Amino acid sequence: MKIKSARFIMSAPEWQKCPKPTIPEYAFVGRSNVGKSSLINMITEKRDMAKTSGTPGKTQLINHFLINEEWYLVDLPGYGFAKVTKTIRENFDNLMKGYIANRDNLMCVFVLVDSRLEPQKNDLDFINWLGDNGVPLAIIFTKADKQKPQHTAANIDVFKSVLLQYWEEMPTYFVTSAEKKQGADEVLDFIEEANKRFGKFIV
Ligand code: GTP
Ligand code: MG
């Protein structure tokens, strides 16, 4: 898929205030600093569409971007900040639960995982939570340029083996680098395919 247009639509504090679910939607989520803004900017070919927030974790908004006048890209708040208050964590949980449970046009949640790290508990918890709730998901390993390809591959193998303790198969995954512009085409092709299925399950 080629990006013809990409523009910010709105930020919503809760799913009820999101745009009408008339077109397919794809959400991006991950731990703070995983490279989410960089990835979104890479796949939309805009230098600063998804701005890096000054104070991570503070503003928890659901950000909608309209791509090719055809589908929504959604930038969700990050999780797993080292020190957030209980209130912020509960807000995140409520926001996410409401969004996931009610967003009828949500085709896939892309969970971003830092390719350099060993499996992190909060990533695994989040992925398992999506799975338990029947939400279609794909994993995006980020920052692959920061190490040798074989190192990335080894880390993904470890991640797989941990996930396979809970899952029957490894979800679809992508290896990306915003720095080297790697992986954008694959993610966009996946979205293009999924877009074709939209409408088949919405009444
Ligand atoms: P918050 O919104 O602050 O939670 O972070 P984020 O997940 O949006 O991450 P962001 O895109 O702001 O990137 C965090 C840091 O990682 C920045 O310094 C980026 O330049 C760097 N970074 C992101 N992606 C890549 C990548 O693919 N390769 C390299 N080398 N650095 C990256
Ligand atoms: Mg960001």
Side-chain angles (χ1 to χ4, degrees):
M1 183 195 309
K2 280 227 169 353
I3 298 296
K4 288 169 267 177
S5 63
R7 62 191 158 91
F8 172 73
I9 300 294
M10 65 173 299
S11 296
E14 54 187 1
W15 70 269
Q16 289 94 331
K17 303 217 167 74
C18 288
K20 284 214 173 73
T22 50
I23 54 175
E25 172 159 319
Y26 301 84
F28 292 76
V29 67
R31 285 147 42 87
S32 173
N33 204 43
V34 70
K36 184 158 55 84
S37 298
S38 307
L39 181 102
I40 290 174
N41 292 335
M42 170 175 75
I43 68 174
T44 58
E45 298 170 14
K46 297 242 173 175
R47 194 163 332 152
D48 58 3
M49 197 166 75
K51 295 216 171 61
T52 324
S53 57
T55 322
K58 248 197 156 175
T59 335
Q60 298 202 312
L61 295 169
I62 303 167
N63 301 299
H64 275 78
F65 300 88
L66 179 63
I67 313 297
N68 291 354
E69 308 290 323
E70 187 180 44
W71 54 278
Y72 287 127
L73 182 157
V74 174
D75 184 358
L76 290 176
Y79 55 82
F81 304 103
K83 34 180 188 194
V84 292
T85 62
K86 198 165 163 241
T87 319
I88 291 182
R89 194 164 306 127
E90 282 170 1
N91 282 348
F92 173 85
D93 287 351
N94 291 334
L95 185 96
M96 203 57 74
K97 275 180 200 147
Y99 175 81
I100 297 287
N102 294 290
R103 205 60 189 154
D104 294 335
N105 59 338
L106 183 62
M107 305 297 285
C108 181
V109 174
F110 291 101
V111 183
L112 276 61
V113 172
D114 192 322
S115 67
R116 296 168 302 170
L117 305 180
E118 55 187 51
Q120 304 288 301
K121 185 175 185 303
N122 42 19
D123 290 333
L124 295 167
D125 286 350
F126 187 68
I127 289 170
N128 287 332
W129 180 79
L130 290 174
D132 289 343
N133 286 279
V135 183
L137 70 95
I139 298 174
I140 294 185
F141 292 99
T142 62
K143 307 190 186 183
D145 61 282
K146 287 216 175 194
Q147 65 199 347
K148 294 205 166 78
Q150 54 268 40
H151 200 152
T152 301
N155 282 353
I156 292 175
D157 275 348
V158 174
F159 203 90
K160 261 189 207 170
S161 67
V162 173
L163 263 193
L164 289 176
Q165 293 171 15
Y166 316 94
W167 292 64
E168 273 171 30
E169 54 184 295
M170 178 72 177
T172 301
Y173 69 90
F174 302 93
V175 179
T176 67
S177 159
E179 189 69 32
K180 294 269 187 283
K181 309 233 176 299
Q182 175 195 344
D185 289 346
E186 288 79 2
V187 173
L188 286 170
D189 288 348
F190 177 89
I191 291 174
E192 187 171 25
E193 276 308 303
N195 278 344
K196 294 178 187 161
R197 295 195 298 273
F198 183 73
K200 300 230 165 93
F201 64 92
I202 297 228
V203 281

